[in-house]
Structures are given as structure tokens and as C-alpha cells.
Amino acid sequence: PRAVAWPHAAAPPCRVAAGADFSIATDTAGRLYSWGHPQYGQLGNGTTGEFLERSRRVDYAYRTEPVLVQQCAPSSAFSSTLLPPIGPIACGDRHVLACSTSGQVFSWGFGGYGRLGLSDQADRLRPTAVPLPHGARIVDLVAGGTCSYAVTRSGGCFFWGRTKSTGEATMRPKTVSELHGWPLRSIACGHTSTFVASGRSLISWGPSPCYGELGYGAAGPGSSTTPKLVDDLEGALVEQVAAGYAFSAVLVSAQDEESAAVLAKRADYEQALTAMAHPSAAGGEGKAANGGGKGKAGKGKAGKAKAGKGKGADGDGESEDGSGDDDEESGGDASGDADDDDGDDVSDAKPTAGKKRGRPPAKKRK
């Protein structure tokens, strides 16, 4: 890890969020900063950074340090072009959500499937006000791969975009009726899966394919397109939920008696308590096991001579492996961005720091 070159004139950083190949952050004064790849306008600076190389190949001028975002797009909901002080922020793969300290939500970046909540699929290069029902005070934002959520002060929830691979997208903010009457404590969104903590219940849903991240257990359903209780944690006080591309994590109150009773039914919970209470003992057992392994390895010393005879063959194998790596890298670049317009592919590679490069290769679909 290395420290980010935070602007000297800025207040201390306060919040940070990251998309597929860009980042945003706010300082304690509510000013917004962005850096990374600008292809869809996700940096909010009014440009995609696109330019032509000598061979007439399109490249993008990415930002390697945080840059202040000052302007927003004028709209009927917010006529000023100066971005107000910002509170909560969230990043999807290629879009951004931000909420002002007064509760006004802004979105920008890639607009596919209505993930910006602006009634169309056009990209936005600057923060644009999202038309929410009058009187809705937003206190939290969550962004998925192709969708967005906004949580109100009263515990309600708005949704726009799409989580399923089929069906129509929700182009404007819409109340999540299935969660009516469930005051939200915490909400998280992976690529297509959603997790909600409410009361003493954990709720999750997400379309297929899923990889166990919904928490229904081996005997439960593999996916669910409607909100469903996670029975394994029913009754526990889940304080916070978090989600990645195909996994999830929850923070359960360990000082709550009812939560402790729920967790006590799990065998892995007792093992975790033992490990935390006696970390040195657990480490000692591991060392003892490793030591025993070394003793066994010593007995096989005579086998080194045989291994040495095959060194030349190993060398040939290494050269073959090396050429294979080169082929894989070139293949990744060649696969490029054939399907990138739909916004579903997520780029893992980052442009090389300090140089201007084109957009990184898209992740191959499984």
C-alpha cells in the first residue's frame, strides 16, 4: 500500500469509494475529488478524456492524483452549477452516486440500464441531480454493478437500474415495495446481489448465478429474485452488511444476548472464540505441525539427486510456461471490449501510472 497524493490545500479526507478502475473521495469540508479512468465520465469533470494517438487509435487521459470536482449539470431539480457540500458517496462499476448534506442525490458516469436514475441510458459527464419524490431525505447510498439504491431518513429505500439479466430496467427511482415496513439499518450491494439488515433479520436476494453469497446454506435455494430471510442469522442483531463481487460479510453484535444465543448454535462460532481467546496456542499448534512436516521432508533428502537430474527438463518447461504467459496477456488484450457497451464487464487491470494508456482489457465472461 502507498499513500495517495492528497491535495495540500484540501481538508483531511473523510469518505472514499472505488469503482472498477477509478476512485472518488470527499474531505471533511464536503468537497469531492476523483481520479482514475475517465472513459464514461465517471470522474465527473465534464470529459471522457478521449484523444487520438498517432495511429488514430483512441486512448484516454486518466488522472493519477485526486482532482477537485466543482461543477454539476444544471437541472430543474437543482439549478445551480456549483456542486454543494457532499456527504455519502458510492461507486458502481462505472457510475457514481453522491448525496449532498441537504439530501439531494447526484449521479454520473455510465448510464446503461438506467443505473443513473435519469429516465434514459445516456452517460453523464458531470454530477446530475436525480429526481426523487418531494420530501424524500436521503441519508445513505449503495451502488451495484448495474443498479443503485438510496436509503431515506425514515428507513425507506428507493431503487433504480437493473439486477437481473432479463426483464426491463427501472429507469427512475422507485420504492422497493417488498421492504415496506422493514426499517433499514444497513444495506449493501454486490454485482447483482443485495443485502439488507433490518431489526433482527438479515434479508438478501440476487439472480442466478450465485456462489453462496446470499447465505441460504447448502440446502437452501441457490438464488432468489425477491427478498428472502437468511434463516441462519434470524434473531441476531446484524449491525452492518458488506458485499463484494460474489461474496458477502456481516457484522453481528457480540454483546447482545439474543445474538449470542443465535451464534452459539454454530460450531464455527465456538472455534472462533477459542482462537481469539488463545491465539498463541493456536499458533503453536500450527508451528508444531509445520515442524513435523519438516522432519518428514528431511527423510526424503536422497530424492534431491533424482530431482537434480531433471533440471534441464525443468528449464525447458519454464521457457514454455513463459511463452504461455505472453500468449495469455496478448489474448486478454485481443478480447478487448466487444461487449463493453452494455456495462456489465468489469476491468481488473489498471492503466500504468504516469503514462497515458487506453482503456484496460475487459474481464472475460465465464
Side-chain angles (χ1 to χ4, degrees), residues 10 20 40 43 71 88 92 100 136 148 201 204 207 219 240 271 273 287 293 304 320 326 343:
Y40 300 101
L43 299 189
Q71 302 293 320
S100 69
S148 305
S201 297
S204 67
Q240 187 175 354
Q271 296 172 1
L273 289 180
K287 289 180 179 179
K304 289 186 177 179
E320 292 176 4
D326 292 339

Side-chain angles (χ1 to χ4, degrees), residues 129-194:
V130 178
L132 289 164
H134 181 70
R137 295 298 300 272
I138 305 302
V139 296
D140 195 15
L141 298 169
V142 176
T146 57
C147 66
S148 305
Y149 290 90
V151 181
T152 66
R153 179 174 294 178
S154 60
C157 183
F158 290 96
F159 166 84
W160 58 94
R162 191 174 80 167
T163 58
K164 297 183 290 185
S165 58
T166 59
E168 296 183 359
T170 302
M171 307 300 291
R172 297 173 63 90
K174 177 183 178 182
T175 303
V176 183
S177 58
E178 293 89 345
L179 295 179
H180 182 70
W182 294 83
L184 274 62
R185 180 182 301 109
S186 178
I187 181 172
C189 192
H191 186 64
T192 57
S193 300
T194 305

